[in-house]
Amino acid sequence: MDTFRKRVKAERGKRKLKQQDLASLCDIPYSTYRRYETETGDPPLSAAMRIAETLGVSLDYLTGKTNSPVPGMPPVPPPPSQAETALKKIRKILEDLDKSDSSL
């Protein structure tokens, strides 16, 4: 959770919030919040989610799963299968044939 602590502290600093301010906004007791940021306690998921939401960043960002702080970014789609790629090529060939037939 070291990444979590560092990123929460950095995001809180960007917003010029004191620990007490963020704790209050998240409805977390100040002493509890302070432990989350000073490496003596890990927040439960519900508290971590409130912190992320209040800071306007994704929980994935705070935990180090992603380097993008933007919440709600769609996941990267999987690469197309060979069948999908072949189907796209066939459709393109058919479109090109259809265009050449209509120009005659």
Side-chain angles (χ1 to χ4, degrees):
M1 291 298 273
D2 193 42
T3 301
F4 179 85
R5 290 177 184 86
K6 287 178 181 177
R7 289 189 173 179
V8 166
K9 187 174 182 177
E11 292 297 320
R12 179 179 58 76
K14 286 179 189 176
R15 288 153 184 79
K16 301 197 184 332
L17 294 170
K18 296 178 184 175
Q19 286 181 339
Q20 289 174 305
D21 299 332
L22 185 55
S24 177
L25 290 170
C26 295
D27 197 29
I28 298 170
Y30 169 63
S31 59
T32 302
Y33 174 82
R34 189 178 64 232
R35 285 196 314 266
Y36 300 157
E37 212 176 279
T38 59
E39 302 185 34
T40 58
D42 292 334
L45 181 58
S46 60
M49 289 172 59
R50 283 196 310 264
I51 292 168
E53 183 178 307
T54 301
L55 291 172
V57 297
S58 71
L59 187 55
D60 284 345
Y61 172 72
L62 291 182
T63 58
K65 187 174 178 183
T66 181
N67 287 324
S68 174
V70 180
M73 290 294 294
V76 176
S81 68
Q82 286 181 330
E84 290 172 318
T85 304
L87 186 57
K88 283 183 182 179
K89 288 180 181 179
I90 292 169
R91 285 183 179 145
K92 174 74 171 125
I93 291 169
L94 290 172
E95 282 178 21
D96 290 347
L97 285 173
D98 193 36
K99 287 178 186 175
S100 66
D101 283 345
S102 65
S103 64
L104 295 176

